[in-house]
Amino acid sequence: MTQQITLALSKGRIFEETLPLLEAAGIQVLEDPEKSRKLILATNRPEVRVVLVRATDVPTYVQYGGADIGVAGKDSLIEHGGQGLFRPLDLQIAKCRVSVAVRADFDYAAAVRQGARLRVATKYTSIARDFFSAKGVHVDLIKLYGSMELAPLTGLADAIVDLVSTGNTLKANHLVEVEQIMDISSHLVVNQAALKLNQAPLKRIIDAFAGAIPRG
């Protein structure tokens, strides 16, 4: 009997940019997640299904076996910690960066130079803590889950640490990017137990993804 393979993806950019990699592995998702309310999507391969979860939950689903394999951003993997995950490939998709941004009228360089204690709003507390600690900057971290740009505009925080792609959202809210922390791309992650139990079919998918990674 063929083992079921469950692939965890998040809606949006990661889903769209994973589709060509899936097609290279001979897998086509049969429904458009933007048009369907289903959270489990069938594929043209009866033994492969896709589950749609929040981007930050993909590593957890794969770690605990809710999915055998998944695609997750480096940001989500760092915040999760990466326990129980095999990370065979950087897929070079959904590229962006994690950056520090402040209000256009806030003198970030002076605040850092003077040793001021900064209030920083972010979803990425581990990344932010490590970054500011390495710089010797004292920060109070405020955990938010969305609309980061509001935090400096309302006085909740001096700065934010967030994903930046084009920078247009920052500009529209009169914020400026003052430091780039790291480049982000999405990685293939595999449940370590599933890889032992279901090695051949999972290895075929991994190898197909490897051959189809966009270069440059």
Side-chain angles (χ1 to χ4, degrees):
M1 183 179 153
T2 309
Q3 285 281 107
Q4 176 93 49
I5 293 174
T6 300
L7 167 68
L9 294 176
S10 54
K11 278 187 183 183
R13 194 175 165 198
I14 286 178
F15 183 91
E16 294 300 327
E17 294 186 22
T18 301
L19 288 179
L21 301 176
L22 284 172
E23 286 182 8
I27 300 166
Q28 293 178 323
V29 183
L30 298 180
E31 291 187 76
D32 181 347
E34 300 303 330
K35 293 177 183 161
S36 169
R37 289 179 173 269
K38 291 181 184 173
L39 297 177
I40 300 178
L41 304 179
T43 73
N44 63 324
R45 299 257 295 275
E47 78 281 10
V48 179
R49 64 179 182 169
V50 170
V51 293
L52 298 174
V53 300
R54 285 176 70 112
T56 48
D57 290 337
V58 168
T60 304
Y61 267 79
V62 176
Q63 176 188 359
Y64 289 104
D68 303 296
I69 193 166
V71 177
K74 182 179 172 184
D75 51 312
S76 298
L77 290 168
I78 291 171
E79 292 298 317
H80 168 270
Q83 303 92 339
L85 300 175
F86 174 51
R87 286 168 58 175
L89 297 171
D90 179 348
L91 299 174
Q92 297 293 316
I93 60 170
K95 289 184 174 183
C96 54
R97 57 194 180 273
V98 177
S99 292
V100 183
V102 298
R103 273 195 338 263
D105 61 357
F106 181 78
D107 193 339
Y108 173 78
V112 168
R113 198 165 53 244
Q114 290 160 9
R117 191 174 190 94
L118 297 176
R119 283 196 303 179
V120 178
T122 187
K123 183 163 64 171
Y124 305 105
T125 49
S126 294
I127 292 172
R129 187 180 294 111
D130 290 349
F131 175 72
F132 287 111
S133 173
K135 283 173 69 75
V137 176
H138 298 290
V139 293
D140 292 320
L141 293 175
I142 301 167
K143 176 103 179 187
L144 291 180
Y145 293 90
S147 302
M148 294 301 151
E149 297 82 13
L150 268 179
L153 303 178
T154 56
L156 178 66
D158 302 307
I160 62 173
V161 168
D162 203 11
L163 291 182
V164 178
S165 185
T166 63
N168 290 339
T169 306
L170 294 178
K171 286 192 193 103
N173 288 286
H174 310 292
L175 302 180
V176 292
E177 194 176 354
V178 287
E179 286 203 90
Q180 186 173 329
I181 297 177
M182 66 175 66
D183 289 317
I184 297 293
S185 56
S186 289
H187 293 241
L188 191 66
V189 291
V190 185
N191 176 282
Q192 289 177 339
L195 191 58
K196 291 192 183 98
L197 293 169
N198 217 358
Q199 189 170 13
L202 282 173
K203 190 168 185 311
R204 279 196 294 275
I205 293 174
I206 294 166
D207 290 347
F209 272 39
I213 290 172
R215 305 292 171 190

